[in-house]
Amino acid sequence: MDDKPQAGQGALPDDFQIDIAVVAGRWPDENELATLCHAAIGAVFKVAPVEALASSEVSLVFTDDAAVQELNQRWRDKDKPTNVLSFPGSEPDGDLYGPLMGDIVMAQETINREADELGIEFSQHVSHLVVHGMLHLFDYDHQENDEAELMEGLERQILAGLGISDPYADKPLLADDD
């Protein structure tokens, strides 16, 4: 019998650590961000077929466009800010990930601008990007069209569980061609 959790069967492990650091930008207060991040990450475990080692942890860094642009230049050779960057912390041990899941870094100005352009709440866009970043830490990607479709489908299901409308209804997630 396959012990790997199936979609919809997982749960955020009780001992899963979510570390939040607000280092730059104009973000909601840390308690509000913590509530939002716990809900988004919990939804990932509930919907996606993922599992982490005991006592795993993820770091979420909330910063500004300048800091994300610098990271994007350094690690992806792209001299521009982006909404979210994910840096996996370890290779999976079999089907299990962790204990250092990695870092998710978000750029406040870009997220704020995108939320305005999409006509959605800032908090909904942050939730979406936490989900997107977590899926990247679990090796989901959008480099190829089939990967993008799988990741987009999971994001839709996870966000629907959070009461957030389909972010790809008008603009599908395309393969990352740059």
Side-chain angles (χ1 to χ4, degrees):
M1 182 175 158
D2 186 3
D3 291 335
K4 187 174 181 179
Q6 302 300 309
Q9 295 182 344
L12 180 64
D14 290 337
D15 57 357
F16 193 87
Q17 296 293 310
I18 300 171
D19 299 318
I20 294 175
V22 178
V23 298
R26 298 176 55 192
W27 294 92
D29 79 36
E30 201 165 309
N31 289 331
E32 186 177 335
L33 287 172
T35 299
L36 187 151
C37 292
H38 277 84
I41 293 170
V44 169
F45 277 92
K46 184 176 180 182
V47 173
V50 298
E51 193 172 11
L53 292 167
S55 301
S56 288
E57 65 180 85
V58 64
S59 170
L60 292 113
V61 178
F62 294 88
T63 189
D64 60 14
D65 278 9
V68 170
Q69 182 171 349
E70 185 177 321
L71 289 169
N72 211 16
Q73 171 65 38
R74 181 174 180 183
W75 296 102
R76 299 176 69 219
D77 201 28
K78 297 179 181 181
D79 191 20
K80 61 182 182 181
T82 188
N83 49 19
V84 62
L85 292 172
S86 297
F87 299 96
S90 60
E91 293 293 320
D93 181 12
D95 289 336
L96 297 174
Y97 287 76
L100 300 175
M101 296 295 300
D103 303 310
I104 298 172
V105 184
M106 300 203 195
Q108 186 265 323
E109 298 95 327
T110 296
I111 294 171
N112 194 47
R113 186 186 71 254
E114 289 175 346
D116 285 346
E117 290 169 0
L118 295 167
I120 61 174
E121 296 290 326
F122 180 79
S123 62
Q124 290 180 347
H125 198 35
V126 171
S127 292
H128 176 201
L129 295 172
V130 169
V131 167
H132 187 88
M134 281 299 295
L135 290 176
H136 274 308
L137 297 184
F138 281 108
D139 278 342
Y140 287 92
D141 211 339
H142 46 90
Q143 295 297 313
E144 304 292 333
N145 284 333
D146 58 336
E147 295 173 329
E149 288 176 22
L150 176 63
M151 191 169 177
E152 178 183 308
L154 280 172
E155 288 180 28
R156 283 181 167 141
Q157 293 174 40
I158 294 165
L159 295 172
L162 293 169
I164 298 174
S165 299
D166 179 359
Y168 301 114
D170 297 326
K171 185 179 178 189
L173 181 63
L174 302 173
D176 191 1
D177 61 352
D178 58 1

